[in-house]
Amino acid sequence: MNIESLIFYGVPIYLIVMGILVILTTKNLFKMLLGLSIMDSGINILIVALGYIKGATAPIYSRYPEVFEKVVDPVPQALVLTAIVIGIAFLGLGLALVIRIKEKYGTVNVEKLKELKW
Amino acid sequence: MIRKVLYFLILIAFGFFILSALSAYFPFGENVLTGVARYYTEKGVKDLGGINIVTSVVTIYRGFDTLGEVTVLFLSVTALAFTLVGLKVEKAKLPKPTLIMETGGRYLAPLIILFGAYVFLHGHLTPGGGFPGGVIIATSFLLLLVTQENYRFKKFHITTTEVLAGTLYVLVGLLGLYYVKSFLGNFLKTGKPGYLVSAGIIPIIYILIGFKVGSEMTSALNNLKEGGDEH
Amino acid sequence: MVNPILIIALLLLFAFLMPLLGLLHRRLPAFATLILPAFNLYVAVNHFLKMDFIPVVIKTGGFRPPFGINLAVDHFSLFFLILVNAIGVFIALSYLLEEQDYRFHILFLLNLLGASGIILTGDLFNSFVFLEILAISSYALAGSRKEKPALEGAIKYLIIGSIGASFYLLGVFILYKVTGTLNIADIALKLQNAKSGIVYLAGMFMLVGLFVETELFPLNTWAPDVYQGAYNRIAVQFSSLISKAAIYLLFRITFLIFDDPLFYKLLLVVGLLTFVVAEFNALAQKDLKRMLGYSSIGQMGLAVLAFALYGMISHPEAFFAATLLIVNHAIAKALLFANMDNMSENATIDIRSVNPFSSLMFAIGALSVMGFPFTLGFWAKIEILGILLRTNLLFLFFLIILIFMVEAFYYFRVITNLFRGETVCRRLNPLLAFSLVVFSIFLVYQGFYPIFTFSWLNRALNALLNKAIYISIIAGGL
């Protein structure tokens, strides 16, 4: 495991881990959504990092028709584009639900949401 | 407290495990383009005429995914409006905008819209494309919402834009089905790479996505500010 | 024959047009919502009966797989497509003709789109996108009844679901890195021989995502809350549509890509745990809907258990049992949950005043779920027990018989209460009553004479098991 892998994979993985930790330990629903957002960012960064090629540039052939520069893998970038949008979608709906919960329960504290027993 | 420390330790161990697995199998930066990626980077410009390979991948090669993604966004905004219908909301208490904010916002907003349009029009030539372009446009409307007192949207206009853009996207796909026997297939000439008018249906798709995303995010922001209503 | 891509294209078109339709005429959205699943059903049945036993590849974007995304249509996918859209028609007919809010119709159609997309797709990342469409629309539907229990269930579901979805994405991406492609058949081809450790890790990640949607232990804590809190029609959707599309994906991916004894063992353990825990929980419930919810979870666990037995015996009967159980459960649970509309609000298991028609419907549904003779469920349960006997897994055999008895106990408890209660005649929604009758007749008729279901099921399973043909036809090759 070289130092570069450590940094470029370690940081997004740390984000993912922290995001999950926030979701597991906080009692505030809104903060859980924030943790979700952090986790999403971590995963997206990790995917892009996994697609990198040393010494290669973005897959845009601005000097067409000289085509054969080394370029990075375009597929992870396309996947991440979609994943980011899907992440926003989750957050939007999550926020709407939390707003409703605040209206009904008066609080966003998870401990108070024990209407349904196991 | 003990529980939090325990979770932290387990998660750190888990993260470390994944880190070592990934760096062992996929050392950073040491890749060779294989598989489909190789085809996309080598033949992408010849096939479709767009010099931004990521755009070509997103709109045509994996265009079906992008259609799904647009649907997800539409779904989320609709679900947001649906969940917030009839909410008894105290109007968001934004501070009254100052003169500087109001004037600055009024001048800045059209420029931001212009920039957003530039981003999605040039999706096949420069980084960006429909999604960032649409979000930039939504930002300008957010600016207007925040800095202009009593700024209201005509919901009908936003909804119509949304509906039109989405329907046209599906129709473009169906046209592809009709002309080249493949849903969302490219049926226009690919033109000369590097020019604005090139790359077949790619700019068209990105324009439609730009409009759709812009109007959707604006409507979502509006809903969050004012609470939902019947239509 | 109609191109199956139209199933997806038309669902999208109408979903996008829905706001406009809502403005044109109040009844128009409901009409569209009824027509579309019916159309899909027609297309699916047509293909099922007329298609050859070769999977059909439908490309998109103009490029053949693996460079473009493709739909993979074979009898196994068509079978599930028929099931899912039949439930869609059931829900639309019984409930949605009354619904005025056009947004609800959008959510319903997009849910159906997600389910149909998962079933039709042949590309792994595409399955992620459609899985998300399914998931997000389910979160919204779960919270559609804006009361406390439903909202609680919905937000729990959303949080667990998004974590699962993120892991699924990571798993898909790791598979891409290993094989260089995103096409399911191509990945299956490349991973056929040796599977390195990282593939197992990717598989685990993907299973995390799938376990949430298929309500398996331990990621199913959201499900009882949603089943209890949501509207009845939403409970029908969850038990008979959403979880069934997700379990299709689980089966397909496991069989094609992760065809490995370790995976099957893991699924066996998870399925068994889900089944045992859920059924005992069901026993302890007082609220009727929550009890039915736990029963649904248990059945999903049992189906996965049956499916995983394939890993031990390599005999297609395991798949047969699992899929038959799924069909039976989808129809019977739809019957049970939809019937709750005829019962009082917050019904408990000590239900007293009942309507004779709804008691009968409940009884038929319950008998089919527990596998009473002369219902469709009987054949499914017998099949599972038969496999266990034949492979000498006697501990499992006796354990599962015990749980079947537990199931029978808590269902009969309610049935006897129903038939002892004072009869009250309530006004019933005629369309709902009609749909209930159709489903109950199907369950009993197939219980006596299951040839029809069996032959269709066999056709579907032959397609699934023919892995070599699937891979060679679809993986166009680099």
Side-chain angles (χ1 to χ4, degrees):
Chain A
M1 176 171 22
N2 53 354
I3 192 74
E4 285 173 333
S5 292
L6 193 61
I7 301 178
F8 288 106
Y9 294 161
V11 169
I13 289 182
Y14 183 70
L15 279 177
I16 297 175
V17 163
M18 282 300 118
I20 301 181
L21 187 67
V22 166
I23 297 179
L24 288 179
T25 56
T26 185
K27 298 217 185 345
N28 185 327
L29 270 179
F30 187 70
K31 288 193 186 157
M32 278 191 201
L33 288 180
L34 285 177
L36 206 60
S37 172
I38 296 177
M39 193 182 91
D40 275 336
S41 304
I43 292 202
N44 293 331
I45 298 179
L46 183 62
I47 293 181
V48 174
L50 279 168
Y52 183 66
I53 297 181
K54 264 199 269 230
T57 66
I60 299 181
Y61 293 123
S62 9
R63 273 198 278 265
Y64 193 80
E66 298 160 28
V67 195
F68 293 112
E69 329 165 347
K70 230 165 91 163
V71 293
V72 296
D73 194 340
V75 176
Q77 315 211 348
L79 300 189
V80 165
L81 215 67
T82 308
I84 294 178
V85 172
I86 293 184
I88 304 176
F90 277 115
L91 267 162
L93 185 54
L95 277 173
L97 283 175
V98 170
I99 293 178
R100 268 291 179 189
I101 289 185
K102 177 93 203 295
E103 181 206 20
K104 289 287 173 180
Y105 285 83
T107 171
V108 283
N109 193 327
V110 188
E111 312 246 288
K112 302 290 191 316
L113 301 182
K114 291 299 190 182
E115 175 94 3
L116 299 170
K117 288 174 281 288
W118 69 286
Chain B
M1 189 56 207
I2 274 289
R3 223 171 39 123
K4 288 190 188 179
V5 175
L6 198 61
Y7 280 154
F8 180 70
L9 291 174
I10 296 179
L11 284 172
I12 289 280
F14 175 64
F16 202 71
F17 168 64
I18 298 186
L19 179 61
S20 38
L22 287 178
S23 13
Y25 279 96
F26 313 118
F28 182 69
E30 286 163 39
N31 278 325
V32 187
L33 281 179
T34 54
V36 284
R38 185 162 204 191
Y39 178 86
Y40 293 151
T41 51
E42 286 177 4
K43 303 277 183 357
V45 187
K46 194 159 61 102
D47 275 344
L48 296 172
I51 55 178
N52 184 342
I53 304 289
V54 178
T55 299
S56 305
V57 171
V58 164
T59 47
I60 305 286
Y61 288 115
R62 303 195 66 85
F64 203 49
D65 277 343
T66 308
L67 186 54
E69 179 183 350
V70 167
T71 311
V72 168
L73 200 54
F74 173 64
L75 177 59
S76 170
V77 170
T78 306
L80 192 123
F82 177 73
T83 312
L84 292 179
V85 160
L87 188 74
K88 303 181 294 279
V89 71
E90 323 111 40
K91 287 272 193 259
K93 296 190 193 71
L94 294 172
K96 183 169 162 18
T98 65
L99 183 61
I100 295 184
M101 282 171 71
E102 208 173 315
T103 334
R106 235 181 316 144
Y107 281 109
L108 213 45
L111 292 176
I112 300 180
I113 296 184
L114 188 62
F115 179 59
Y118 163 79
V119 169
F120 69 63
L121 275 173
H122 286 70
H124 54 296
L125 301 172
T126 56
F131 293 98
V135 172
I136 293 174
I137 292 184
T139 320
S140 81
F141 283 114
L142 177 62
L143 182 68
L144 287 174
L145 265 181
V146 168
T147 57
Q148 309 300 311
E149 234 182 316
N150 302 320
Y151 187 78
R152 294 279 176 275
F153 289 117
K154 293 234 177 42
K155 292 243 171 111
F156 180 68
H157 291 168
I158 301 186
T159 315
T160 320
T161 319
E162 234 186 314
V163 168
L164 221 56
T167 320
L168 282 175
Y169 194 175
V170 180
L171 284 179
V172 165
L174 287 172
L175 280 176
L177 186 62
Y178 179 66
Y179 282 115
V180 293
K181 295 284 178 296
S182 184
F183 189 70
L184 282 177
N186 185 12
F187 54 90
L188 292 178
K189 287 204 290 257
T190 58
K192 273 200 287 231
Y195 282 68
L196 185 56
V197 182
S198 67
I201 60 175
I202 296 184
I204 299 182
I205 291 185
Y206 260 169
I207 293 174
L208 291 173
I209 293 182
F211 274 103
K212 188 154 219 309
V213 173
S215 49
E216 265 170 3
M217 307 257 44
T218 308
S219 136
L221 289 168
N222 204 24
N223 268 321
L224 283 171
K225 181 185 180 219
E226 308 223 340
D229 67 9
E230 291 312 305
H231 264 285
Chain C
M1 288 198 289
V2 182
N3 191 335
I5 193 113
L6 285 181
I7 291 183
I8 305 216
L10 288 179
L11 274 173
L12 271 174
L13 192 64
F14 277 93
F16 285 143
L17 275 175
M18 203 56 94
L20 225 55
L21 291 179
L23 286 171
L24 278 179
H25 183 70
R26 301 215 112 198
R27 291 289 190 172
L28 212 45
F31 185 66
T33 310
L34 182 58
I35 292 289
L36 283 171
F39 170 74
N40 295 347
L41 195 57
Y42 163 73
V43 172
V45 172
N46 199 10
H47 275 269
F48 190 86
L49 295 176
K50 300 229 180 85
M51 212 174 85
D52 287 328
F53 278 97
I54 303 180
V56 171
V57 175
I58 298 181
K59 34 181 222 215
T60 64
F63 291 89
R64 61 176 169 79
F67 304 113
I69 298 178
N70 67 305
L71 300 183
V73 184
D74 69 356
H75 286 259
F76 189 62
S77 7
L78 286 173
F79 186 81
F80 271 84
L81 204 59
I82 294 176
L83 180 67
V84 160
N85 281 295
I87 302 285
V89 173
F90 175 84
I91 297 179
L93 193 61
S94 323
Y95 292 102
L96 298 183
L97 293 179
E98 310 286 304
E99 178 65 51
Q100 301 282 1
D101 188 355
Y102 71 89
R103 294 193 184 101
F104 189 88
H105 290 280
I106 296 181
L107 291 175
F108 176 77
L109 283 183
L110 288 177
N111 199 7
L112 195 60
L113 173 73
S116 309
I118 290 178
I119 296 174
L120 281 173
T121 188
D123 180 282
L124 209 56
F125 188 71
N126 202 218
S127 75
F128 170 69
V129 173
F130 279 117
L131 188 63
E132 292 322 294
I133 295 181
L134 185 70
I136 296 181
S137 53
S138 332
Y139 305 150
L141 288 175
S144 61
R145 176 189 196 177
K146 302 173 183 102
E147 298 299 322
K148 283 187 185 177
L151 290 174
E152 196 180 316
I155 193 73
K156 231 192 246 183
Y157 180 29
L158 188 140
I159 293 187
I160 299 183
S162 349
I163 301 182
S166 306
F167 276 104
Y168 186 84
L169 172 64
L170 203 51
V172 166
F173 185 70
I174 294 179
L175 282 184
Y176 167 73
K177 287 289 292 182
V178 171
T179 57
T181 174
L182 281 168
N183 186 291
I184 295 182
D186 209 9
I187 294 180
L189 181 65
K190 295 197 162 74
L191 291 181
Q192 238 168 12
N193 302 318
K195 295 188 184 42
S196 52
I198 196 89
V199 173
Y200 288 110
L201 185 64
M204 296 299 144
F205 283 164
M206 289 174 72
L207 283 183
V208 169
L210 286 172
F211 281 177
V212 179
E213 290 298 325
T214 52
E215 303 165 9
L216 295 176
F217 183 89
L219 298 166
N220 56 3
T221 47
W222 58 270
D225 294 342
V226 171
Y227 278 119
Q228 182 183 359
Y231 287 127
N232 295 327
R233 60 190 165 178
I234 306 293
V236 173
Q237 197 143 352
F238 269 91
S239 66
S240 308
L241 214 157
I242 297 175
S243 49
K244 303 304 178 259
I247 210 171
Y248 165 86
L249 191 61
L250 179 65
F251 285 2
R252 248 314 180 202
I253 294 186
T254 309
F255 182 65
L256 282 177
I257 300 180
F258 300 110
D259 197 2
D260 193 275
L262 183 66
F263 260 77
Y264 285 116
K265 279 211 188 82
L266 176 67
L267 287 178
L268 188 74
V269 169
V270 169
L272 183 64
L273 271 174
T274 311
F275 182 52
V276 172
V277 170
E279 297 289 357
F280 274 109
N281 266 329
L283 187 61
Q285 290 309 310
K286 293 276 186 305
D287 182 285
L288 190 53
K289 272 175 77 173
R290 202 174 173 84
M291 179 191 104
L292 289 177
Y294 271 114
S295 167
S296 286
I297 300 174
Q299 295 297 304
M300 294 304 283
L302 186 62
V304 171
L305 175 76
F307 173 78
L309 286 175
Y310 177 79
M312 322 255 314
I313 58 170
S314 286
H315 225 300
E317 280 146 21
F319 290 163
F320 184 84
T323 319
L324 187 58
L325 194 67
I326 288 176
V327 173
N328 174 55
H329 178 243
I331 299 181
K333 260 310 154 43
L335 187 59
L336 284 172
F337 274 119
N339 192 34
M340 294 298 295
D341 258 17
N342 296 331
M343 301 197 190
S344 56
E345 211 38 59
N346 293 327
T348 65
I349 60 174
D350 307 311
I351 188 161
R352 288 295 164 203
S353 75
V354 280
N355 178 326
F357 174 71
S358 60
S359 310
L360 182 62
M361 291 295 114
F362 187 90
I364 294 181
L367 289 176
S368 203
V369 173
M370 69 168 107
F372 202 77
F374 300 129
T375 59
L376 187 58
F378 172 69
W379 300 104
K381 305 245 158 137
I382 279 292
E383 192 67 40
I384 297 179
L385 290 177
I387 296 176
L388 287 174
L389 263 185
R390 246 174 294 159
T391 55
N392 269 318
L393 293 165
L394 291 178
F395 169 66
L396 271 184
F397 177 78
F398 285 114
L399 179 61
I400 291 188
I401 288 200
L402 175 70
I403 311 275
F404 283 173
M405 293 198 286
V406 167
E407 249 186 345
F409 174 72
Y410 68 71
Y411 271 120
F412 270 119
R413 192 167 55 176
V414 182
I415 297 181
T416 48
N417 277 335
L418 282 178
F419 282 104
R420 264 195 273 137
E422 343 160 336
T423 48
V424 157
C425 275
R426 281 210 185 85
R427 279 218 61 201
L428 298 173
N429 174 353
L431 285 169
L432 175 62
F434 170 70
S435 325
L436 290 177
V437 167
V438 169
F439 269 18
S440 52
I441 290 182
F442 179 80
L443 288 174
V444 175
Y445 171 56
Q446 289 301 285
F448 279 94
Y449 196 63
I451 300 299
F452 171 68
T453 310
F454 281 14
S455 75
W456 279 38
L457 204 52
N458 277 320
R459 235 193 277 202
L461 288 171
N462 281 333
L464 172 69
L465 290 163
N466 212 334
K467 190 168 162 179
I469 286 210
Y470 182 93
I471 293 183
S472 63
I473 295 271
I474 296 183
L478 268 181

